[in-house]
Amino acid sequence: MKKSTRILIPTLLLAVAASFLPACNKEAEQQAYDKQETNIAKFVEAQLKADETAKVTYKDGTVRVVLHDTLDREGLLADTLQAGGTVSFYYAGYLLTGASVSGTNLFATNHKKTADAAGWKLSDTTAFHIQTLTLEDRLLPGLQRGLEGVRNQDECYILFSGKYAYGSHAQGTIPARSALVYHIWVESISND
């Protein structure tokens, strides 16, 4: 009887410990996302200090900061990108690992000036062509939410935690659960 008790106790302890692992992982994941939200808030605050005309929009976990926004957005609904609309833009995508971004955490761009500033040397110059897509295209949830509502000639940052990016999956050079920032230069929109 003593022998079976010895086997049963370690087995029971392992079963109890295993039942806590998913909860611990979820808690750690949520803490990481909470930290990302804090970094996003700090990034937004820095943009607002640097540009008094910047406007911030929050939508379902995504933040858009429109830079140099001197136009009144009231009554301009027809001039903003709507669901199903098409947008043409240049972009630079960054990992948000702190409260700012730099060329060292740039992971993708079609903006030649940004690529040059980051020291990227690309032999394929077609990478610098304007991106055109509809909001119905397969986009990251954070990017789709951030693009909805942009206007012609907007320059903005779209920020979101890893929850609205690739989640628990790594994508190329982007680690799993990474917060992302897209610097967007909108060339044109169409809601036709």
Side-chain angles (χ1 to χ4, degrees), residues 18-167:
S19 71
F20 284 110
L21 286 178
C24 291
N25 287 340
K26 287 286 184 190
E27 186 176 312
E29 184 177 353
Q30 188 57 48
Q31 287 175 347
Y33 290 149
D34 290 346
K35 182 177 180 180
Q36 291 173 3
E37 293 294 338
T38 299
N39 287 339
I40 288 169
K42 289 178 181 177
F43 183 95
V44 170
E45 184 179 324
Q47 298 308 309
L48 292 173
K49 283 183 181 177
D51 179 358
E52 292 179 5
T53 64
K55 300 284 191 275
V56 180
T57 304
Y58 297 90
K59 183 175 184 182
D60 301 327
T62 299
V63 181
R64 181 177 60 241
V65 180
V66 178
L67 305 173
H68 323 296
D69 190 358
T70 57
L71 297 175
D72 183 8
R73 284 190 174 267
E74 296 301 319
L76 294 177
L77 190 59
D79 295 328
T80 62
L81 183 63
Q82 303 298 306
T86 302
V87 59
S88 296
F89 61 96
Y90 290 97
Y91 70 93
Y94 300 89
L95 298 174
L96 183 65
T97 56
S100 64
V101 294
S102 70
T104 59
N105 48 5
L106 178 69
F107 65 82
T109 188
N110 68 343
H111 191 249
K112 183 160 179 28
K113 189 174 178 180
T114 300
D116 291 345
W120 283 25
K121 304 290 183 225
L122 299 179
S123 58
D124 182 8
T125 57
T126 62
F128 300 119
H129 288 239
I130 197 163
Q131 178 79 35
T132 300
L133 50 86
T134 68
L135 285 186
E136 293 173 349
D137 288 338
R138 291 186 51 143
L139 297 172
L140 295 173
L143 187 56
Q144 182 175 21
R145 292 172 188 156
L147 285 170
E148 191 172 336
V150 297
R151 297 174 305 187
N152 285 322
Q153 304 304 307
D154 270 356
E155 178 184 354
C156 60
Y157 287 107
I158 297 173
L159 304 94
F160 44 93
S161 73
K163 187 187 307 186
Y164 303 104
Y166 294 105

Side-chain angles (χ1 to χ4, degrees), residues 1-18:
M1 184 98 173
K2 268 188 169 181
K3 195 174 198 180
S4 65
T5 305
R6 287 183 188 161
I7 293 171
L8 182 62
I9 290 174
T11 304
L12 182 62
L13 289 174
L14 284 174
V16 169

